[in-house]
Amino acid sequence: EAGVTQFPSHSVIEKGQTVTLRCDPISGHDNLYWYRRVMGKEIKFLLHFVKESKQDESGMPNNRFLAERTGGTYSTLKVQPAELEDSGVYFCASSRRTTGVGLAGDIRDEQYFGPGTRLTVT
Amino acid sequence: DAKTTQPPSMDCAEGRAANLPCNHSTISGNEYVYWYRQIHSQGPQYIIHGLKNNETNEMASLIITEDRKSSTLILPHATLRDTAVYYCIAEPSNAGGTSYGKLTFGQGTILTVHP
């Protein structure tokens, strides 16, 4: 089974430019997540897709960030315009459906992370 | 989300068991304890999770205290490749038990396995 892939692995852009990151989840995984780690900080959640719908986008820092998942397959994260503080590593993760019937019968699937995209804004 | 507390760093000799503690004294009844690790320059990797029973898989064992206020991740025979940052995460769920899926990473524990 192929893992989560991310493209590009590294991107260097100038302040004010636009960058689009891509994530291909594991085939069949309905859940897709974006996280990022900026310099010296902890890994932070950005948003969560269930298929093509945004389930939770509470971690998106501002409206310069736009995430899409058309067709419920791969996802893109666009930063426009990029600022210096956007530099960091952006991780994508995916998991199968999570269902719950109560604590006893809960089914949970772990998140599989991609290798990340290192974004450098100069 | 329950806040978790971990020691910033630990050392372990190769071949010995590594016991990584985690405090989650404010954990609620429907929060699972998850462990992930991040090996340098890679994405986080799932290790194990549990609710209140002890769990074991091919990678590790998870011991959760009866009051659920703390847990210990055990790597039974640590190798040099286990050197990584280990994260203990309490994952919330709604009343129906469905996971929100959002992982809240803290600083984690830097585990160094030495020869």
Side-chain angles (χ1 to χ4, degrees), chain B:
Chain B
D1 301 3
K3 177 179 172 58
T4 62
T5 304
Q6 300 176 251
S9 64
M10 293 184 65
D11 287 337
C12 178
E14 187 178 20
R16 305 298 292 268
N19 297 283
L20 291 86
C22 178
N23 285 320
H24 31 79
S25 58
T26 60
I27 197 168
S28 61
N30 63 353
E31 286 184 305
Y32 282 69
V33 178
Y34 275 76
W35 283 83
Y36 283 78
R37 73 180 181 182
Q38 186 177 24
I39 297 171
H40 182 62
S41 297
Q42 298 180 21
Q45 176 190 26
Y46 166 82
I47 301 173
I48 199 167
H49 73 278
L51 183 63
K52 52 184 178 181
N53 296 323
N54 297 337
E55 302 289 345
T56 295
N57 62 21
E58 65 278 4
M59 289 183 68
S61 294
L62 175 61
I63 308 298
I64 302 174
T65 58
E66 192 170 341
D67 62 9
R68 300 188 71 239
K69 293 186 176 182
S70 66
S71 60
T72 301
L73 177 74
I74 301 172
L75 307 178
H77 306 286
T79 71
L80 299 179
R81 288 176 295 180
D82 292 321
T83 293
V85 181
Y86 287 76
Y87 298 97
C88 170
I89 299 169
E91 184 193 1
S93 63
N94 61 23
T98 302
S99 167
Y100 289 123
K102 171 182 174 180
L103 297 176
T104 301
F105 290 85
Q107 297 283 0
T109 295
I110 300 172
L111 174 67
T112 302
V113 181
H114 51 85

Side-chain angles (χ1 to χ4, degrees), chain A residues 46-61:
Chain A
L46 295 179
L47 87 159
H48 170 202
F49 285 99
V50 177
K51 297 184 180 179
E52 66 276 8
S53 299
K54 292 177 183 174
Q55 178 79 7
D56 180 356
E57 50 184 331
S58 62
M60 295 288 265

